[in-house]
Amino acid sequence: MTITTRLTCFFLALLLLVLLGFSIATYFVADHYLQQQVEERLAAAMNSICGVIETNTDGVEWEPGERRQVLEFSAFEDQLVWWVTDEQGQIVAQSVNPFTSAPSGERDVTARLQAGDQLGNTWLIGQRTIETVPSTNRTSDRERSSSQQEPGKHAALNVTAAILLVPVQATRYQLAGWLGGLSALVWLVSLVAGRFVCRWALAPVRRIADAAEQVQPEDLSERLPPLATHDELAQLTNAFNAMLDRLQQSFERQRRFTSDASHQLRTPLTAILGHVEVSLRRERTDSDYRSVLETVRKKATHLSRVVESLLFLARNDQEANLPSLELLELRDWLPRYVESWSDHVRFNDIALTNETSAIGLVSAQPALLAELLNILLDNACKFSQPGTPIDVSLREDEGRVAIRVQDHGCGIATNELADLFTPFIRSTEARRIGVDGIGLGLSIAQRLARLFAGDLSVTSQAGQGSCFVLWLPQQVAEHGAK
């Protein structure tokens, strides 16, 4: 079942309850109003009939001749019957259309009306008794009661009136039919309109689903079309696009690992193969072979450390556990590291300067730190002319230790510094002079610096060289490695 169908069903069920409640409430209010109107008509008719009766101290007299117009009920005369009876129950007067085939007795008429007439119609009945006005002269009252009542005079008259309820019942049935019909019509119209509105409101969801189906693992650059509604759907679209960004970054990290691995493994592998090929060109002495094997062992060990480090870099931050962090005294370690470049053709151009008297204690992984500095020194050698100095210095500044590598080569344009650490980005000058590289070295160096809770900054000027500074937090000996 689609969301459109579920929403439509929910809306129609709720509307049905509302219409049902409204119809029932309207019916009962209208029924109460109709009943009240009938009762008011009956009370008005009773008052009119009682107005024809003359009441005094010598008896009660029916006088229709003098007040005939009072008994005219033109508005609902066909729905009203009435009769007047004396104290013995004999009918004194009655309406023009009395109850069909009613006996002359008042009790029989009332009983028949209460039970329903010959057609099964129901009536609303009202009764009232008009008695003689008592006199203040008790002697005359006793004499009058002992003598015969005057003709036309009665001790009391009973007035009974009844209104036919068939029109009221017919109005009730008609009202119920109208309410039911209108409710059904409103419900059917709401069915069509509600489904249309639901489909229109959920159209962005369908577009989001269609756009999401276009996203393929081979190309994660596709994004959902942004919505300008600033509602929950726009929030969903933004969240989904953010998720795609994270997925793309994850895939890029995997691709970058392959490129990083090839970039970092090529140099030691080339050195190993070169030494092996040279040793195989002709017969060597045992000492020569031992020297070659020692070089291969050193390069293989370095290669193993690089592979371990690259595997670590390929993991997510949550999965990464920095291997073998150690407390390094850079004052002693840095000279040994620079000495490891002794077999490089530019070794004599490298000048090490210690600008601090402190030991420069930092927490780092020696192999990764050496790889980071290898990248900086390698770039300094590639982008500066042989014979120009490459300055490596150590200093402290406000709780941090700085290793600076400065060359005096071609430099980098100021407008290219912002993207310098972006993977695969190479400066215009590097491409112009044809220096080998794929633009991954500095991005790897920056990631390594951040693994040590440090940072890598650069200042450069075209034609005057570049200066890279590795900032590392200074440690205290008793704290141990982090």
Side-chain angles (χ1 to χ4, degrees):
M1 182 183 293
T2 62
I3 296 179
T4 300
T5 303
R6 289 200 297 268
L7 288 177
T8 303
C9 293
F10 176 77
F11 167 72
L12 292 178
L14 184 61
L15 179 62
L16 181 62
L17 293 177
V18 172
L19 290 175
L20 184 62
F22 174 78
S23 299
I24 293 176
T26 303
Y27 178 82
F28 280 109
V29 170
D31 180 68
H32 176 74
Y33 174 78
L34 292 174
Q35 188 70 23
Q36 186 178 8
Q37 290 293 313
V38 172
E39 292 176 355
E40 290 178 357
R41 287 184 179 183
L42 181 61
M46 293 287 292
N47 291 335
S48 299
I49 296 171
C50 292
V52 180
I53 299 175
E54 178 70 22
T55 305
N56 48 43
T57 56
D58 57 354
V60 180
E61 183 179 5
W62 175 257
E63 298 180 350
E66 298 179 1
R67 307 178 185 179
R68 184 63 185 174
Q69 69 280 4
V70 178
L71 298 178
E72 295 178 358
F73 309 103
S74 57
F76 53 98
E77 188 171 3
D78 56 339
Q79 304 172 15
L80 175 70
V81 295
W82 58 270
W83 59 93
V84 180
T85 58
D86 58 13
E87 59 272 14
Q88 282 78 33
Q90 299 299 319
I91 295 178
V92 177
Q94 61 184 359
S95 58
V96 178
N97 296 319
F99 186 59
T100 306
S101 69
S104 59
E106 179 234 350
R107 294 181 179 177
D108 286 342
V109 175
T110 303
R112 290 289 298 275
L113 285 177
Q114 290 176 343
D117 59 15
Q118 296 172 339
L119 300 178
N121 300 325
T122 55
W123 299 75
L124 179 63
I125 302 174
Q127 293 179 326
R128 191 177 300 177
T129 300
I130 308 298
E131 297 180 344
T132 303
V133 177
S135 173
T136 56
N137 191 343
R138 297 183 178 180
T139 303
S140 59
D141 288 342
R142 286 194 299 267
E143 291 175 355
R144 190 160 42 258
S145 61
S146 60
S147 62
Q148 185 177 4
Q149 191 79 29
E150 297 181 11
K153 300 284 187 176
H154 304 277
L157 291 178
N158 298 317
V159 178
T160 303
I163 290 184
L164 186 63
L165 295 180
V166 172
V168 176
Q169 294 174 344
T171 303
R172 290 173 179 167
Y173 296 146
Q174 187 178 14
L175 176 62
W178 275 104
L179 288 174
L182 288 176
S183 298
L185 179 62
V186 170
W187 192 84
L188 291 176
V189 171
S190 300
L191 171 62
V192 178
R195 188 164 185 84
F196 172 78
V197 170
C198 287
R199 291 177 64 86
W200 172 79
L202 293 175
V205 178
R206 290 195 297 273
R207 290 195 295 270
I208 291 174
D210 295 339
E213 291 178 354
Q214 302 301 320
V215 180
Q216 300 297 327
E218 297 80 11
D219 183 14
L220 294 177
S221 61
E222 294 289 335
R223 294 294 182 269
L224 302 185
L227 300 178
T229 53
H230 304 290
D231 55 6
E232 289 81 358
L233 290 179
Q235 184 179 3
L236 174 63
T237 301
N238 295 334
F240 196 85
N241 286 335
M243 182 189 69
L244 289 178
D245 291 338
R246 294 191 295 271
L247 287 175
Q248 186 177 16
Q249 292 174 3
S250 177
F251 277 86
E252 287 294 337
R253 184 163 51 251
Q254 293 181 4
R255 297 190 188 101
R256 192 163 55 240
F257 167 73
T258 304
S259 299
D260 292 350
S262 63
H263 179 73
Q264 294 299 318
L265 299 178
R266 180 168 45 206
T267 300
L269 283 176
T270 301
I272 291 174
L273 291 175
H275 282 79
V276 172
E277 289 176 358
V278 169
S279 64
L280 292 176
R281 287 178 183 175
R282 60 181 177 85
E283 290 294 332
R284 304 283 180 174
T285 63
D286 292 344
S287 61
D288 291 336
Y289 284 123
R290 183 178 296 276
S291 177
V292 171
L293 291 175
E294 183 67 23
T295 302
V296 170
R297 186 185 66 81
K298 290 173 59 177
K299 295 296 183 181
T301 302
H302 174 72
L303 183 61
S304 175
R305 292 178 178 177
V306 172
V307 169
E308 181 183 353
S309 301
L310 288 175
L311 288 174
F312 161 72
L313 291 176
R315 302 189 189 107
N316 294 327
D317 294 340
Q318 292 81 2
E319 300 173 355
N321 293 314
L322 196 60
S324 305
L325 271 180
E326 302 176 11
L327 282 177
L328 296 180
E329 296 181 4
L330 293 182
R331 186 180 60 182
D332 298 330
W333 180 86
L334 192 56
R336 293 197 302 271
Y337 163 75
V338 173
E339 188 66 27
S340 67
W341 275 69
S342 59
D343 57 348
H344 196 278
V345 295
R346 296 286 305 273
F347 174 70
N348 293 328
D349 296 335
I350 301 175
L352 176 61
T353 304
N354 189 354
E355 300 178 0
T356 178
S357 59
I359 60 176
L361 191 64
V362 297
S363 180
Q365 207 278 337
L368 292 179
L369 181 58
E371 190 64 28
L372 191 160
L373 294 179
N374 284 341
I375 294 172
L376 299 182
L377 284 176
D378 185 61
N379 282 347
C381 293
K382 289 192 297 184
F383 294 103
S384 64
Q385 294 296 325
T388 58
I390 299 175
D391 300 322
V392 179
S393 61
L394 176 66
R395 64 186 178 91
E396 293 183 354
D397 185 10
E398 297 181 355
R400 295 189 299 174
V401 178
I403 302 176
R404 184 179 64 179
V405 178
Q406 183 175 7
D407 64 70
H408 299 274
C410 62
I412 305 167
T414 305
N415 59 350
E416 296 180 340
L417 292 178
D419 298 326
L420 191 61
F421 296 102
T422 303
F424 307 107
I425 298 297
R426 303 187 69 207
S427 67
T428 304
E429 186 65 17
R431 293 193 301 269
R432 187 186 67 81
I433 63 180
V435 176
D436 292 337
I438 57 176
L440 287 175
L442 290 178
S443 63
I444 295 174
Q446 186 183 54
R447 292 170 64 190
L448 289 172
R450 290 176 178 174
L451 288 176
F452 303 139
D455 193 18
L456 184 62
S457 62
V458 59
T459 57
S460 183
Q461 209 168 10
Q464 298 184 13
S466 303
C467 178
F468 289 86
V469 181
L470 172 62
W471 297 94
L472 297 174
Q474 188 174 17
Q475 303 295 321
V476 180
E478 58 267 27
H479 288 177
K482 289 185 179 179

